[in-house]
Amino acid sequence: MGSPEGSTLSPAGLIVDDESSLVDSLPVYVRELIAGGAAGAVAKTAVAPLERIKILFQTRTEGFRSIGVYQSLKKVLNHEGVQGLYRGNGASILRIVPYAALHYMTYEQYRFWLWENCPSLGTGPIVDLLAGSAAGGTAVLCTYPLDLARTKLAYQVVDKRPTLRSNMGSIHSSASYNGIQDVFRRVYSEGGVRGLYRGVGPTLAGILPYAGLKFYIYEELKRRVPEEHQKSILLRLSCGAMAGLVGQTFTYPLDVVRRRMQVMSQSTLPSSWLHFVTFE
């Protein structure tokens, strides 16, 4: 008798699903790369409109300084349509897939390395904090130019209504950049490799405590969940949301500094990013 379609017989004579055996046969870090990348892409796309508005607020874009989130969403829709809410999301997806994948993969790798080489630290929150910080820094350094491109594309607001061009006010009347490649070409020609990493200082200063706190709080919350509920998706989602909320709130000022630096031209950028912090 042949084995069922889509299944194979294991050496022990047990029927094993082909897809399950294929996934299980992959190294742990490969599965973490795939899972982390897919999760990051879905999450970023889901919140892309709010991310666009956040960037417009952080960079104090003309026309968006004194209006709320709802009015800002309406304004973008009126001038750019639905597509405008996702401006720069392509660069965000190109970045977040390798970023999230590297973040989660290297987190596990750093944690295992600490367990093996620094046994005095134990397996508790200190390891989670250190591994999370190192993983966040690694992911940022590998994907930062795409984050720069995402900010520059999201910062520009283009009126696609020719009949209303006279009502644009202070919103940009034409696009400064025509896509990710155009951003890279122009930024590189202006400042070289250094230009592609403009703002990486405050980013690293923020991501190290943010990533460390996020993983630390997430693991601590999971440890306090009763064992019978450990596999609950809702509880894991709640733990992740709380961890992200605390970490993001703690490091948000540095995120604002990063966005401001990313949209500045090389000629107007202060020599030290610390001098850029202003209170308006």
Side-chain angles (χ1 to χ4, degrees):
M1 180 182 296
S3 61
E5 185 178 356
S7 302
T8 58
L9 287 173
S10 68
L14 299 176
I15 296 177
V16 180
D17 183 81
D18 285 342
E19 295 182 359
S20 297
S21 61
L22 176 61
V23 172
D24 292 339
S25 66
L26 295 173
V28 174
Y29 70 89
V30 174
R31 281 181 279 170
E32 288 164 354
L33 275 170
I34 296 171
V42 172
K44 276 295 181 183
T45 301
V47 300
L50 291 175
E51 280 288 315
R52 174 85 197 280
I53 299 304
K54 184 182 80 169
I55 290 174
L56 293 174
F57 284 172
Q58 289 177 327
T59 54
R60 295 184 62 79
T61 304
E62 293 291 341
F64 291 86
R65 293 184 179 181
S66 58
I67 59 177
V69 174
Y70 178 69
Q71 291 300 322
S72 297
L73 288 168
K74 283 182 61 178
K75 195 165 190 174
V76 171
L77 278 171
N78 289 337
H79 287 87
E80 299 181 322
V82 175
Q83 185 179 359
L85 296 176
Y86 293 87
R87 181 179 296 276
N89 192 51
S92 182
I93 294 299
L94 286 177
R95 169 187 172 266
I96 200 60
V97 171
Y99 175 86
L102 282 169
H103 202 168
Y104 286 99
M105 184 199 73
T106 55
Y107 168 67
E108 294 295 340
Q109 298 303 310
Y110 284 134
R111 192 161 64 157
F112 289 146
W113 185 87
L114 287 170
W115 287 347
E116 292 180 357
N117 295 277
C118 304
S120 60
L121 295 176
T123 58
I126 295 179
V127 170
D128 296 331
L129 190 64
L130 293 175
S133 297
T138 300
V140 162
L141 289 175
C142 291
T143 62
Y144 187 80
L146 284 167
D147 184 57
L148 180 76
R150 191 265 191 275
T151 300
K152 286 187 173 293
L153 290 171
Y155 168 68
Q156 59 191 21
V157 182
V158 184
D159 192 354
K160 294 187 176 181
R161 309 168 302 167
T163 58
L164 299 178
R165 192 177 300 278
S166 60
N167 296 328
M168 277 291 292
S170 57
I171 298 180
H172 306 298
S173 59
S174 60
S176 299
Y177 298 99
N178 297 316
I180 300 171
Q181 288 185 337
D182 188 39
V183 173
F184 286 161
R185 179 181 60 80
R186 293 171 60 178
V187 170
Y188 183 79
S189 64
E190 181 183 353
V193 174
R194 184 177 181 180
L196 293 174
Y197 280 85
R198 186 183 308 157
V200 75
T203 303
L204 287 174
I207 196 63
L208 295 179
Y210 166 71
L213 280 171
K214 183 176 70 173
F215 280 109
Y216 166 71
I217 295 171
Y218 177 70
E219 295 293 343
E220 276 298 295
L221 290 174
K222 276 204 315 178
R223 289 188 185 101
R224 300 178 187 278
V225 173
E227 188 174 351
E228 62 270 19
H229 298 301
Q230 285 285 339
K231 295 184 178 180
S232 169
I233 295 177
L234 181 60
L235 278 175
R236 289 193 175 196
L237 183 63
S238 300
C239 292
M242 182 60 67
L245 176 64
V246 174
Q248 181 70 43
T249 302
F250 183 76
T251 60
Y252 188 78
L254 288 170
D255 190 47
V256 175
V257 174
R258 168 179 60 136
R259 298 297 187 194
R260 299 279 189 91
M261 292 180 70
Q262 286 176 334
V263 299
M264 291 180 72
S265 64
Q266 187 70 27
S267 60
T268 58
L269 189 66
S271 58
S272 171
W273 65 267
L274 286 173
H275 296 160
F276 183 74
V277 183
T278 58
F279 298 91
E280 300 177 284

